[in-house]
Amino acid sequence: MHLQFTKDLLVIFKTISMPPSGQTFCDFMHALDICFDIASKMKNPHEVLGSIGYNMKEGQSRASDWPLISLAGGLTGIAYFYATMDLNFPAEGWEEVVRNYLLAAKDVVEQNSISDLSLYSGLTGLSATVHIASHNGSRYHSMLGTLDELLSREVQREYLSQTNHYLNPQTPIPPNHYNLANGLSGILLYFMYREDNVILKNLAQDCLNSLVEILSTIKEINGSQVPAWYVSSEHESISEYKGKYPKGYFKLDIPYGLPGVMAALSMAKIKGYQAPGLMDLIAKMSHWILKKQIVQEKEMNWNHIVSVDEELDGIVVDSRIRNRSWFHGALGVLRCLLLSAKAVNDQHLAELFEKAFLSHIMKPNRKNEVRDSSFSFGNSGLLAMTHDIACETKNPDFFKQAFLLEEGIKNDHHPNHAFGFQTLLIEDHIFVKRSHDPTLLSGAAGIALTLLRVHCQHEAQRNPLFG
């Protein structure tokens, strides 16, 4: 079985073999032409590294130091794309490219002390990529075995051993302990789909049990009670948020906030996992998120930050929608809510969230919306979600919107660009310029991976970064 840990996690997706009604064979081929064009541009990891170094010097990169091991933003994510190309086009020589990228990643791990275990930026993401590349364990035995052993030991030590500590009502839980990008939720997703490894499958259950235990607690702040997903100012690294929310706040974005956690728990339930209190916790999270909605133009919306004062007073302090991207906005939240409705078997809520999602995505030229093709903030992420819901519901309106989103992505492709696309460079939630980005979350690899998912059959191409 190929890796499926992204299934239904927004992305997260069941593919179809034929294009939607109205899509021509030429359109179908053109999507794969783009994938091959992107793949041809990034075959040499050392040249990609050189290009990234130049971009950093020219101010075309988000950071001064490229996160080489990151699945979301480094070599590992690009290797994930090539591993998917190899699965779908095994006679095209992509296996050699995969090997070169994995060797480059291996060198980085061996030369540096990598303590990050996370899905987005650490060793879980690397292990997921090696597992995809292994063709069900027929390759990379030693590398995968080493990573499996390391993860099984260190996840217990770094995460699971802390469960009792975070059950204390006076002890706030760092979001990096449980969220999708950095914490147990992302690790849970990967472990759940490692059906070839009994130890990791058992660890998935342990991760789930720990998440349900700690996130079912009530925390106390100056005599007031708040949910466990409260973020204290001491656990916030962004100075702007520390100053603006001295009492703390709640996060409603996908990678670092509650919706992504709820989606991971919902996926565990849908996949057949059980834990005491799991259903109640999913329902509690869904209800809490619904209470935080802001209705604008008769549509459900959310801001990605909710202050403690808003929670305690039960009011909305700022009704302005500050971020329209799906990663930090309504469409991503609705997708997570849809997963939660399926997990608790509430068909009425599922239909409500489907209609709300469709209403959002059918409205063109919304205020504050910036066109981009990337997975994290742009049309590739929207295509992945919309295509997924279309396949689930068989609703022709969703297929139509998926087709339109794909056409927009294809129109943004330019063969003369270094990696086929220019995507938006974002700093402090502000779009500042367009850049040449090869990565999975914000660049060309993620765009190509989404197109592969829509048009190819192997489930390994399901993007793991919904999440």
Side-chain angles (χ1 to χ4, degrees):
M1 173 179 286
H2 296 306
L3 183 64
Q4 302 177 33
F5 71 93
T6 53
K7 185 175 182 181
D8 285 335
L9 186 54
L10 252 200
V11 153
I12 275 176
F13 305 116
K14 190 153 178 147
T15 61
I16 53 174
S17 59
M18 294 300 293
S21 177
Q23 187 173 354
T24 68
F25 182 73
C26 289
D27 291 330
F28 170 74
M29 291 304 296
H30 181 47
L32 296 185
D33 287 343
I34 290 174
C35 295
F36 274 87
D37 176 64
I38 292 173
S40 70
K41 296 176 184 300
M42 304 192 298
K43 289 192 293 186
N44 189 322
H46 301 292
E47 290 181 0
V48 171
L49 286 171
S51 177
I52 290 296
Y54 175 81
N55 287 344
M56 287 191 291
K57 290 180 182 179
E58 297 297 313
Q60 296 289 327
S61 177
R62 290 170 176 77
S64 58
D65 185 23
W66 199 42
L68 294 176
I69 294 304
S70 171
L71 176 65
L75 288 173
T76 303
I78 302 175
Y80 191 102
F81 159 61
Y82 279 110
T84 306
M85 288 290 290
D86 182 48
L87 283 173
N88 286 287
F89 309 103
E92 300 289 336
W94 302 119
E95 158 58 15
E96 183 65 25
V97 182
V98 175
R99 182 182 293 108
N100 290 336
Y101 269 96
L102 290 181
L103 286 175
K106 181 174 179 286
D107 289 343
V108 174
V109 172
E110 291 177 346
Q111 294 171 16
N112 299 274
S113 178
I114 306 295
S115 59
D116 188 342
L117 303 176
S118 71
L119 173 64
Y120 270 44
S121 58
L123 295 178
T124 296
L126 177 59
S127 182
T129 300
V130 176
H131 183 253
I132 288 289
S134 75
H135 287 224
N136 289 327
S138 63
R139 305 169 178 170
Y140 304 113
H141 301 281
S142 177
M143 190 175 188
L144 187 59
T146 299
L147 287 167
D148 289 347
E149 182 181 352
L150 179 62
L151 286 173
S152 64
R153 181 181 70 247
E154 294 302 309
V155 166
Q156 297 224 38
R157 187 175 69 86
E158 293 291 330
Y159 290 96
L160 299 181
S161 67
Q162 300 297 309
T163 300
N164 288 335
H165 175 69
Y166 289 127
L167 294 179
N168 187 333
Q170 307 297 326
T171 305
I173 311 171
N176 284 356
H177 182 81
Y178 59 81
N179 66 24
L180 184 68
N182 309 114
L184 272 177
S185 293
I187 295 169
L188 166 66
L189 281 180
Y190 174 53
F191 285 175
M192 279 197 304
Y193 291 98
R194 282 298 304 275
E195 296 182 359
D196 61 309
N197 188 303
V198 175
I199 293 175
L200 296 188
K201 287 283 289 183
N202 290 336
L203 270 175
Q205 183 66 61
D206 294 339
C207 291
L208 179 63
N209 291 342
S210 180
L211 282 168
V212 173
E213 280 193 82
I214 65 174
L215 293 174
S216 296
T217 61
I218 297 295
K219 298 300 179 182
E220 296 179 2
I221 308 173
N222 300 323
S224 299
Q225 294 186 331
V226 296
W229 46 90
Y230 148 76
V231 182
S232 68
S233 60
E234 68 183 279
H235 292 140
E236 180 49 63
S237 59
I238 301 177
S239 57
E240 175 191 349
Y241 289 169
K242 279 182 175 289
K244 191 172 183 179
Y245 307 104
K247 298 178 184 178
Y249 64 96
F250 303 86
K251 293 185 178 184
L252 277 174
D253 62 79
I254 307 304
Y256 306 107
L258 180 62
V261 179
M262 182 180 67
L265 296 176
S266 299
M267 279 305 307
K269 180 64 178 66
I270 292 169
K271 193 165 174 62
Y273 281 78
Q274 303 288 341
L278 175 59
M279 289 277 283
D280 290 341
L281 179 59
I282 293 172
K284 177 183 176 181
M285 290 176 165
S286 175
H287 179 68
W288 188 89
I289 291 172
L290 278 173
K291 286 175 60 180
K292 304 307 174 188
Q293 69 174 293
I294 300 169
V295 178
Q296 286 191 345
E297 299 177 1
K298 299 181 180 180
E299 289 185 334
M300 302 168 74
N301 270 292
W302 286 266
N303 275 319
H304 67 284
I305 295 291
V306 174
S307 71
V308 168
D309 289 334
E310 289 179 88
E311 166 68 10
L312 296 179
D313 297 337
I315 61 174
V316 176
V317 175
D318 186 356
S319 62
R320 295 173 299 167
I321 302 300
R322 293 183 286 273
N323 197 311
R324 293 279 184 175
S325 70
W326 75 266
F327 224 37
H328 295 89
L331 285 164
V333 173
L334 285 167
R335 180 58 178 135
C336 295
L337 285 169
L338 179 55
L339 286 172
S340 73
K342 291 184 176 182
V344 300
N345 198 27
D346 191 324
Q347 186 59 32
H348 172 73
L349 277 180
E351 291 176 357
L352 171 66
F353 299 141
E354 286 170 12
K355 290 178 181 177
F357 188 101
L358 186 61
S359 175
H360 262 281
I361 208 162
M362 289 179 69
K363 280 195 172 181
N365 302 319
R366 291 175 297 178
K367 186 179 179 182
N368 299 333
E369 190 170 36
V370 180
R371 178 168 173 169
D372 184 40
S373 288
S374 72
F375 185 86
S376 57
F377 293 100
N379 282 342
S380 289
L382 295 181
L383 172 59
M385 290 189 295
T386 306
H387 176 262
D388 188 24
I389 299 173
C391 294
E392 294 170 2
T393 64
K394 311 304 180 185
N395 185 332
D397 288 332
F398 280 105
F399 281 114
K400 178 180 178 182
Q401 293 305 312
F403 170 73
L404 293 174
L405 286 165
E406 184 180 329
E407 288 302 298
I409 293 170
K410 290 191 289 189
N411 288 337
D412 286 344
H413 172 254
H414 293 285
N416 290 334
H417 287 329
F419 306 117
F421 287 86
Q422 278 190 319
T423 52
L424 286 170
L425 178 66
I426 299 168
E427 295 177 355
D428 298 326
H429 300 288
I430 298 174
F431 302 103
V432 293
K433 64 180 73 171
R434 294 194 177 273
S435 65
H436 299 283
D437 189 333
T439 66
L440 195 65
L441 193 63
S442 303
I447 298 170
L449 194 62
T450 301
L451 294 175
L452 282 173
R453 186 193 58 76
V454 170
H455 290 293
C456 296
Q457 294 303 308
H458 280 291
E459 294 193 354
Q461 78 272 353
R462 304 176 189 278
N463 195 315
L465 295 173
F466 168 134

